Amino acid sequence: VSAFSTWEKELHKMVFDPRYLLLNPEERKQIFEQFVKTRVREEYKEKKNKLLLAKEEFKKLLEESKLSPRTTFKEFAEKHGRDQRFRLVQKKKDQEHFFNQFILILKKRDKENRIRLRKMR
C-alpha cells in the first residue's frame, strides 16, 4: 500500500485479505488513514536522513579534493563528477550551493591567514 494513496485506490488490494473482515467498515477506513499518516511521516524521515547523509558525503568529498579558494564549481564538477559522493546529492543546485558554502569558508581561512602573516612581519 502506497503511503500517498487513497482508500478507494487501495481497497481492491485489501478486500481479499482475511484480516479485512475482522473490523467493521468505519474501523477499516480509520486504521487505513492512521497507517497512511504514519507511513508518510516515516518516508519523510527516511528521505531527510538520506539527504543529510548525502550532504555529509559531499562535504567529505569537498574536503578531500584539496580545493583552492579560486576553484570554480565547473572545474570541481568536471574533475569529480563521476564520484559516487558527488552524485548522491542529486540536484545540481544543491551541489553548487554546498560547493559555494565550502569555498566561502576557504576564502575566510585564506584571508585570516594572510592577516596573521602581515601581523607577524
Side-chain angles (χ1 to χ4, degrees):
V1 174
S2 173
F4 299 99
S5 192
T6 63
W7 171 255
E8 290 78 22
K9 287 182 183 177
E10 300 296 333
L11 186 60
H12 73 278
K13 296 178 185 176
M14 300 178 286
V15 173
F16 299 108
D17 191 312
R19 296 171 287 184
Y20 176 79
L21 298 173
L22 296 175
L23 302 169
N24 66 42
E26 296 94 28
E27 289 176 327
R28 292 176 193 154
K29 192 166 185 176
Q30 230 176 12
I31 289 175
F32 175 81
E33 296 298 327
Q34 277 182 328
F35 170 77
V36 169
K37 285 179 184 177
T38 305
R39 190 67 197 126
V40 166
R41 277 191 233 114
E42 289 172 359
E43 285 187 19
Y44 279 132
K45 283 181 185 176
E46 290 170 7
K47 187 176 180 181
K48 185 178 178 181
N49 289 338
K50 186 178 176 183
L51 287 173
L52 287 173
L53 179 65
K55 183 178 178 179
E56 290 301 316
E57 290 297 319
F58 192 80
K59 284 185 177 183
K60 285 180 186 176
L61 173 65
L62 288 168
E63 291 167 2
E64 293 171 6
S65 329
K66 299 180 182 171
L67 302 172
S68 76
R70 294 187 178 155
T71 306
T72 64
F73 178 73
K74 186 176 179 181
E75 293 168 350
F76 175 72
E78 286 173 359
K79 189 173 181 182
H80 299 284
R82 292 193 175 110
D83 192 308
Q84 182 63 31
R85 297 173 291 182
F86 184 86
R87 287 190 256 140
L88 280 175
V89 178
Q90 295 174 347
K91 294 182 181 177
K92 189 171 184 102
K93 183 179 177 180
D94 290 341
Q95 292 171 342
E96 197 162 356
H97 176 73
F98 297 147
F99 174 82
N100 289 333
Q101 283 181 327
F102 187 78
I103 292 296
L104 280 175
I105 292 168
L106 286 180
K107 286 181 181 180
K108 285 180 185 177
R109 282 186 202 156
D110 192 42
K111 187 176 180 179
E112 289 170 0
N113 288 339
R114 279 189 272 128
I115 291 171
R116 262 194 236 124
L117 285 174
R118 284 184 196 152
K119 286 182 181 178
M120 293 174 86
R121 290 182 187 170

